[in-house]
């Protein structure tokens, strides 16, 4: 670094700057924060402008991110010589990274550089394309259909059924049989309340940050709808969509492909709290969650105020039999639910598990069967 004053400002203010970005609505994952700090050490920014471009390359992924990042940076490190001017014709999630001299990025981010790896606010309609399942996926789907029923929790039915053993005498049945035996009761008949599968509710995140996992989650949902008795499936990104009907098709690939006509908020922004509140505002949907096994398949990267998400998850926890959160991030042994959204709902979850594809989903089903 050539400016001694910049050395002092970076050393004293960089962590406060990152916290301020978070407070302003630009919630940068810890992995990208590490990339930013390592980039400062590796590149040794010459001045505030150089530091600005390092941060823009590593901490932002869209035009909306830049609109938050630029004024926040200038508050902490002063004005810069050249700020990016995004092309207004480009959609929000596809704004290219800032370029330096010769058209090259001053520092290439090693995390989060692809579209669909960050949560956002953008709401736009698009028809997602879900490709066919691989041969390995089809094999895992067959295993899932065989194991799912035995892994689901059960509850005693409210209706009494004829049974060989049971605490209730089946008087009506014995009277009917006695007519054939001239009034003699030959066999003592009983009734019992058999066990039946609890309702299952799947809430699947199809936002941009879950782009790589949505197809696998929907195929898992298709397997559940096909082999379980009472299953309801909803997707959410920026809105809530019920997809149980299309998933009743017999074949997995056509069923999942048909969702491109129904799920119009896929690969866009993330509004977990508002989507769950929309679910809970519908009395019919609330009935689906009452006493059910509820599984939320999401990375939990909420944007904006996390209070709606916390309140909605709290109510879901009170309504359901068990509330599980399956996230691809938990597949990393070093994962800790320390983001604002996940830390806010952690106390209301029965379990957090790592699920990123059908194979890891099958492993979780096996774990549920052993519990």
């Amino acid at each position: 670094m050539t400016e001694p004053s910049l050395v002092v400002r970076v050393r004293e203010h960089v962590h406060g700057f990152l916290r301020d970005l978070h407070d302003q609505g630009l919630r940068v994952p810890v992995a990208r924060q590490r990339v930013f700090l390592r980039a400062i050490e590796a590149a040794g920014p010459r001045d505030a402008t150089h530091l600005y471009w390092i941060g823009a390359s590593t901490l932002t992924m869209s035009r909306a991110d830049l609109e938050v990042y630029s004024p926040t940076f200038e508050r902490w490190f002063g004005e810069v010589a050249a700020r990016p001017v995004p092309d207004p014709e480009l959609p929000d999630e596809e704004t290219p990274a800032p370029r330096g001299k010769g058209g090259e990025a001053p520092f290439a981010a090693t995390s989060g550089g692809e579209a669909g790896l960050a949560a956002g606010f953008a709401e736009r309609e698009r028809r997602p394309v879900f490709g066919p399942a691989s041969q390995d996926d089809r094999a895992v789907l067959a295993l899932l259909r065989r194991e799912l029923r035995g892994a689901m929790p059960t509850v005693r039915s409210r209706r009494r059924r004829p049974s060989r053993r049971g605490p209730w005498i089946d008087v009506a049945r014995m009277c009917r049989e006695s007519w054939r035996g001239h009034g003699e009761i030959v066999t003592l008949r009983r009734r019992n309340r058999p066990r039946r599968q609890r309702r299952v509710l799947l809430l699947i995140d199809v936002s941009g940050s879950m782009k790589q996992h949505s197809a696998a989650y929907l195929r898992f949902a298709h397997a559940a709808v096909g082999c379980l008795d009472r299953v309801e499936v909803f997707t959410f990104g920026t809105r809530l969509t019920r997809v149980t009907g299309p998933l009743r098709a017999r074949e997995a690939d056509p069923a999942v492909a048909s969702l491109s006509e129904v799920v119009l908020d896929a690969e866009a922004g993330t509004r977990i709290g508002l989507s769950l509140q929309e679910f809970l505002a519908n009395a019919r949907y609330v009935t689906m969650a009452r006493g059910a096994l509820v599984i939320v398949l999401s990375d939990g990267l909420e944007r904006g105020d996390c209070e709606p998400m916390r309140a909605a998850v709290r109510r879901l926890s009170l309504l359901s039999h068990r509330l599980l959160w399956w996230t691809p991030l938990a597949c990393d042994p070093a994962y800790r639910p320390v983001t604002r959204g996940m830390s806010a709902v952690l106390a209301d979850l029965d379990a957090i598990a790592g699920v990123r594809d059908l194979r890891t989903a099958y492993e979780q089903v096996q774990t549920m069967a052993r519990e």
Side-chain angles (χ1 to χ4, degrees), residues 7-8 26 31 42 51 62-63 71 82 89 143 147 172 175 184 193 205 275 289 301 337 360:
V7 175
V8 176
L26 179 55
L51 179 62
S62 68
R63 184 173 61 198
E89 297 298 322
L143 293 174
E147 299 284 342
C175 288
E184 295 291 336
R193 290 170 54 195
D205 188 344
S275 298
L301 299 180
T360 50

Side-chain angles (χ1 to χ4, degrees), residues 54-94:
I54 291 176
S57 299
T58 56
L59 300 176
T60 68
M61 297 186 64
S62 68
R63 184 173 61 198
D65 289 351
L66 283 172
E67 291 173 357
V68 175
Y69 169 83
S70 297
T72 306
F73 180 92
E74 291 182 354
R75 273 201 309 275
W76 286 87
F77 300 108
E79 296 185 359
V80 296
R83 285 174 51 176
V85 181
D87 185 351
E89 297 298 322
L90 287 174
D92 184 49
E93 276 74 20
E94 298 178 2

Side-chain angles (χ1 to χ4, degrees), residues 13 64 120 231 368:
H13 300 315
V231 184
M368 291 167 58

Side-chain angles (χ1 to χ4, degrees), residues 6-320:
L6 182 61
V7 175
V8 176
R9 278 181 289 167
V10 170
R11 184 172 59 246
E12 295 181 354
H13 300 315
V14 66
H15 295 292
F17 164 65
L18 292 173
R19 284 196 302 271
D20 195 9
L21 284 178
H22 184 279
D23 294 339
Q24 297 300 320
L26 179 55
R27 289 167 176 78
V28 182
V30 175
R32 296 218 318 264
Q33 294 183 26
R34 291 199 191 102
V35 173
F36 170 60
L37 297 175
R38 290 171 183 167
I40 295 177
E41 294 178 354
R46 299 176 298 277
D47 50 30
T49 301
H50 191 191
L51 179 62
Y52 172 90
W53 286 109
I54 291 176
S57 299
T58 56
L59 300 176
T60 68
M61 297 186 64
S62 68
R63 184 173 61 198
D65 289 351
L66 283 172
E67 291 173 357
V68 175
Y69 169 83
S70 297
T72 306
F73 180 92
E74 291 182 354
R75 273 201 309 275
W76 286 87
F77 300 108
E79 296 185 359
V80 296
R83 285 174 51 176
V85 181
D87 185 351
E89 297 298 322
L90 287 174
D92 184 49
E93 276 74 20
E94 298 178 2
T95 302
R99 299 289 171 179
K101 293 181 180 180
E104 297 180 353
F107 188 84
T110 59
S111 173
E114 291 184 22
L117 295 184
F121 288 113
E123 180 173 4
R124 55 181 176 174
E125 290 191 359
R126 62 160 56 182
R127 285 179 173 27
V129 178
F130 301 111
S134 65
Q135 197 66 31
D136 183 62
D137 286 344
R138 293 192 183 95
V140 177
L141 282 172
L143 293 174
L144 277 169
R145 294 187 187 100
R146 196 164 58 215
E147 299 284 342
L148 267 171
R149 184 176 293 275
M152 293 299 104
T154 59
V155 63
R156 285 282 182 188
S157 171
R158 294 183 180 181
R159 294 177 180 270
R160 298 177 185 179
R161 305 289 184 185
S163 174
R164 289 187 177 182
R165 297 179 179 86
W168 294 280
I169 303 296
D170 193 345
V171 177
R173 187 180 177 193
M174 289 192 301
C175 288
R176 287 195 301 269
E177 291 180 349
S178 68
W179 296 343
R180 296 192 295 268
H182 303 286
E184 295 291 336
I185 296 178
V186 179
T187 306
L188 189 64
R189 302 296 185 182
R190 295 185 176 273
R191 295 174 71 84
N192 201 354
R193 290 170 54 195
R195 304 196 70 87
R196 65 172 181 173
Q197 173 212 305
R198 284 187 179 271
R199 191 188 303 272
V200 178
L201 173 63
L202 302 178
L203 301 170
I204 300 176
D205 188 344
V206 293
S207 63
S209 60
M210 296 294 293
K211 178 179 179 180
Q212 298 177 329
H213 313 286
S214 297
Y217 288 173
L218 292 170
R219 292 190 182 99
F220 170 78
H222 176 268
V225 170
C227 67
L228 300 179
D229 295 332
R230 300 184 300 166
V231 184
E232 292 292 340
V233 185
F234 292 80
T235 64
F236 64 89
T238 57
R239 68 185 74 172
L240 185 74
T241 307
R242 186 184 180 194
V243 296
T244 311
L247 289 176
R248 289 197 177 103
R250 183 170 183 176
E251 297 296 329
D253 285 343
V256 173
S258 68
L259 295 181
S260 62
E261 303 295 327
V262 180
V263 181
L264 301 180
D265 59 334
E267 304 173 13
T270 308
R271 295 176 184 169
I272 302 176
L274 295 179
S275 298
L276 295 182
Q277 285 190 336
E278 181 183 349
F279 175 89
L280 294 169
N282 189 312
R284 182 185 177 193
Y285 294 168
V286 169
T287 303
M288 299 174 183
R290 186 170 288 116
L293 171 66
V294 180
I295 304 178
V296 182
L297 298 99
S298 170
D299 53 15
L301 299 180
E302 177 69 309
R303 298 297 296 266
D305 185 10
C306 293
E307 179 57 26
M309 176 177 170
R310 187 203 64 78
V313 172
R314 174 64 175 166
R315 190 177 175 202
L316 268 179
S317 176
L318 294 174
L319 285 170
S320 63

